[in-house]
Amino acid sequence: MANYIMMMGTSSHVGKSILTTALCRIFRQEGRRVVPFKAQNMALNSYVTKDGLEMGRAQVAQAEAAGLEPFVDMNPVLLKPTGNSCSQVVLMGKPVGNMTAKEYHQGYSLKAFSAVKEALARLDAEYETVVIEGAGSPAEVNLKANDIVNMRVAKYLNAPVLLIADVDRGGALASLVGTLELLEEDERALVKGLVVNKFRGDISLFTPAVEFLEKKTGKPVLGVIPHIEEMGIDDEDSVSLEDKAERAEEKELNLAVIRTPKISNFTDFDSLESEPDVALRYVHEAAALGTPDLILLPGSKNTSEDMRWLEKTGLASKIREAHEKGTAVIGICGGYQMLGKRILDPHHTESSFDSTDGLGLLGLQTTFHENKLTSQVVASARDFPFLGKRISVDDIKGYEIHMGTTEFLCDRDSHPLCVKERRGEVCDAAEGTVNEEENIFGTYIHGFFDHDGLRRAILNALREKKGLPALAMTRNRYREKEESYDRLAAVVRAHLDMDKLREIMGEKVGC
């Protein structure tokens, strides 16, 4: 039987995911068989497992920190917002339909809890330690009756809880005290400690606040965790995009990601943001686009509505104008579909529109169907034409997660990638599209830019177009992520009372 520790927050975005990731790495470093768990995730950043099932990306990062291949028991319920208080519900990695918030919370969530309990039973049988993440706040009185991710899980497992507050937001003391006051007595008893996260400056100055919290609540403060700059770990959801400015520091290459309302899987561009010669901006308004060297169109949970938003805001016109002046454009998944001529939705799978005009930059059209394609893939590029260069690389690893079939309408466009493996089975399928001018490219492969050689080759093509010398490939994305997990673990270990934590988890401490 496993032992448990559960991370809850006074609100969303206080650092529950990151601290769960840290504990997964710390326990792994101690030689434990540790696994992350989150009963229900609401996010548009999702991932596809080896067996073609869909889960939230936060648990993927946590799995990596724990040294595990991600699998769907780590996140049995995923809610993907589609708009108008409605979400696609993904249960055990497979979509079961779109539901309004009322339909889900008052009719389906408790049914989904059966899958949560089954997943927990499997983890309990295989692992020594389960690090559990909650969602939002456990004190939302309007949601508690049907909540399946916070106190229902803690009470089902009798799991000890750490309550986390973000001091960087302000009001951390009030949020901790207030959250505890709003909990029922049996729920409050499960909270075994408090954590103050994202502290800036001299931590010793916070000592009076720690003393106040412990006296007021009767709960120990296990740690005050400092704010960690440039963490290098994937963000959980699009809330974090609010922290990314539309203006970035000046560097040799200026890249602009179009931040649509239904943006998904924006982590596709994290590896670009870390390049030393790249300034990556997230652009939400036409006036802010400027003159980037490369425009990036991300995935979308509702491609038709996001495409119509591009037209309405004037960004579509700006993108077409930039293309006419020679600016390169790359789209991934939904962004790839937007590059085409039309988006057809005869079954109203994503929206109420039968047809939506695309940007018209690639000769293709996409028709949505009710079934979703989810698969991990391995691809190669042979003489991939981009800005007059020819790029050849192997072992492009990523995943597909989209609805719809894309039809090619222009013989002059080329399809430069070849999927060699899909869901572990050998195949030989053309993938991606490049226009005749070699400056517009689209692909369905998420994680495309994580390939170190391919990423640098594309950036070097942009550099040479500007008359800049090519740079050697010096980065290793996998190694950098591992170093980031180790750095995170070191910081948290230094500022969290690990002996007290082990005591809370029911373990013997010391000799």
Side-chain angles (χ1 to χ4, degrees):
M1 179 178 176
N3 57 8
Y4 307 99
I5 186 66
M6 187 164 186
M7 317 298 281
M8 292 192 194
T10 57
S11 69
S12 297
H13 210 49
V14 298
K16 297 184 296 292
S17 293
I18 287 297
L19 292 180
T20 300
T21 304
L23 290 182
C24 283
R25 177 48 63 109
I26 289 170
F27 291 143
R28 180 199 177 190
Q29 290 172 337
E30 294 176 352
R32 300 194 196 196
R33 297 194 313 276
V34 58
V35 65
F37 179 79
K38 186 171 184 176
Q40 172 190 292
N41 221 330
M42 176 174 279
L44 289 177
N45 270 359
S46 61
Y47 176 83
V48 175
T49 64
K50 278 190 172 180
D51 47 359
L53 301 175
E54 193 174 356
M55 62 183 285
R57 282 202 65 94
Q59 281 61 62
V60 174
Q62 292 159 6
E64 291 173 347
L68 299 174
E69 177 71 30
F71 57 95
V72 78
D73 277 343
M74 299 173 181
N75 175 215
V77 182
L78 174 63
L79 305 179
K80 304 187 72 175
T82 59
N84 300 320
S85 298
C86 185
S87 293
Q88 181 186 61
V89 179
V90 180
L91 183 67
M92 292 307 296
K94 297 181 179 180
V96 295
N98 291 348
M99 300 182 194
T100 65
K102 185 176 182 179
E103 288 170 338
Y104 178 76
H105 288 292
Q106 296 186 8
Y108 191 82
S109 64
L110 295 184
K111 296 178 183 177
F113 194 62
S114 296
V116 170
K117 291 188 288 186
E118 290 169 4
L120 279 168
R122 288 187 289 270
L123 298 182
D124 184 81
E126 292 292 328
Y127 294 91
E128 295 176 90
T129 301
V130 184
V131 185
I132 306 167
E133 180 188 344
S137 164
E140 302 292 346
V141 295
N142 57 313
L143 299 176
K144 281 180 66 173
N146 299 294
D147 166 67
I148 66 167
V149 66
N150 286 312
M151 279 300 174
R152 189 177 300 274
V153 171
K155 289 196 284 187
Y156 174 72
L157 297 171
N158 195 31
V161 173
L162 297 186
L163 184 62
I164 305 162
D166 176 1
V167 71
D168 199 37
R169 290 182 167 197
L173 275 64
S175 63
L176 286 166
V177 173
T179 298
L180 287 168
E181 285 294 319
L182 288 171
L183 295 179
E184 302 294 334
E185 185 175 348
D186 61 338
E187 297 170 337
R188 197 179 304 120
L190 287 171
V191 179
K192 304 299 185 182
L194 311 177
V195 178
V196 177
N197 195 25
K198 304 182 186 178
F199 189 88
R200 298 174 188 265
D202 185 348
I203 290 178
S204 67
L205 297 177
F206 200 69
T207 300
V210 170
E211 293 172 348
F212 164 81
L213 282 171
E214 293 187 332
K215 183 178 180 180
K216 181 72 175 178
T217 67
K219 308 288 184 183
V221 176
L222 266 67
V224 180
I225 312 298
H227 187 277
I228 306 172
E229 298 288 349
E230 299 181 1
M231 200 173 307
I233 297 172
D234 290 348
D235 289 314
E236 178 180 11
D237 54 42
S238 57
V239 173
S240 61
L241 288 181
E242 301 300 328
D243 300 330
K244 297 179 184 287
E246 289 199 350
R247 292 187 179 184
E249 60 180 306
E250 291 293 327
K251 292 190 178 180
E252 292 173 308
L253 294 179
N254 181 343
L255 276 56
V257 181
I258 306 302
R259 182 162 67 92
T260 60
K262 302 296 190 300
I263 186 173
S264 67
N265 290 81
F266 62 87
T267 49
D268 283 334
F269 310 115
D270 283 358
S271 56
L272 289 167
E273 189 172 21
S274 300
E275 288 288 346
D277 56 338
V278 168
L280 189 80
R281 301 178 292 123
Y282 282 81
V283 175
H284 192 65
E285 298 177 352
L289 182 60
T291 55
D293 301 302
L294 174 65
I295 296 171
L296 295 158
L297 282 169
S300 169
K301 188 62 190 72
N302 195 316
T303 309
S304 299
E305 288 191 6
D306 273 351
M307 183 62 235
R308 289 171 178 262
W309 177 85
L310 289 178
E311 294 287 6
K312 181 179 178 180
T313 59
L315 270 165
S317 295
K318 288 289 187 181
I319 293 169
R320 293 186 187 103
E321 289 173 11
H323 163 60
E324 290 174 2
K325 296 176 181 178
T327 300
V329 184
I330 293 179
I332 295 180
C333 199
Y336 178 25
Q337 295 168 341
M338 291 181 216
L339 289 173
K341 294 182 179 298
R342 286 177 297 279
I343 301 161
L344 307 177
D345 193 359
H347 305 290
H348 295 172
T349 302
E350 279 198 353
S351 72
S352 59
F353 306 111
D354 293 329
S355 177
T356 298
D357 289 337
L359 289 165
L361 302 181
L362 289 176
L364 53 87
Q365 70 177 20
T366 300
T367 302
F368 287 138
H369 305 292
E370 294 178 348
N371 295 327
K372 182 186 292 188
L373 174 66
T374 54
S375 57
Q376 286 192 7
V377 298
V378 180
S380 63
R382 284 288 172 266
D383 294 327
F384 169 16
F386 186 70
L387 299 180
K389 302 297 179 182
R390 294 296 181 269
I391 301 171
S392 295
V393 296
D394 290 314
D395 206 31
I396 304 169
K397 294 179 180 178
Y399 56 96
E400 303 163 312
I401 177 170
H402 66 90
M403 307 180 84
T405 301
T406 295
E407 177 186 0
F408 303 114
L409 308 175
C410 180
D411 293 337
R412 294 189 301 276
D413 293 343
S414 63
H415 309 292
L417 306 184
C418 180
V419 175
K420 298 291 188 180
E421 185 179 311
R422 179 176 278 125
R423 287 200 189 185
E425 297 183 1
V426 175
C427 64
D428 186 10
E431 212 288 318
T433 303
V434 176
N435 66 338
E436 189 176 20
E437 294 78 19
E438 302 178 1
N439 59 2
I440 306 290
F441 169 68
T443 178
Y444 275 122
I445 300 178
H446 293 288
F448 176 80
F449 287 112
D450 288 348
H451 188 289
D452 298 315
L454 178 58
R455 181 178 65 252
R456 179 39 60 189
I458 289 173
L459 293 176
N460 280 342
L462 292 168
R463 290 179 64 85
E464 292 186 37
K465 181 186 175 187
K466 295 183 71 173
L468 298 170
L471 297 183
M473 185 187 77
T474 59
R475 294 184 55 220
N476 182 309
R477 177 74 170 154
Y478 171 79
R479 184 180 65 240
E480 288 173 358
K481 290 178 76 173
E482 287 295 299
E483 291 171 350
S484 293
Y485 294 136
D486 286 340
R487 183 166 69 98
L488 171 65
V491 171
V492 172
R493 187 188 290 107
H495 292 88
L496 193 68
D497 188 338
M498 295 301 299
D499 284 343
K500 184 66 177 178
L501 177 63
R502 293 185 181 94
E503 181 183 319
I504 285 170
M505 294 171 68
E507 301 177 5
K508 292 182 179 180
V509 179
C511 297

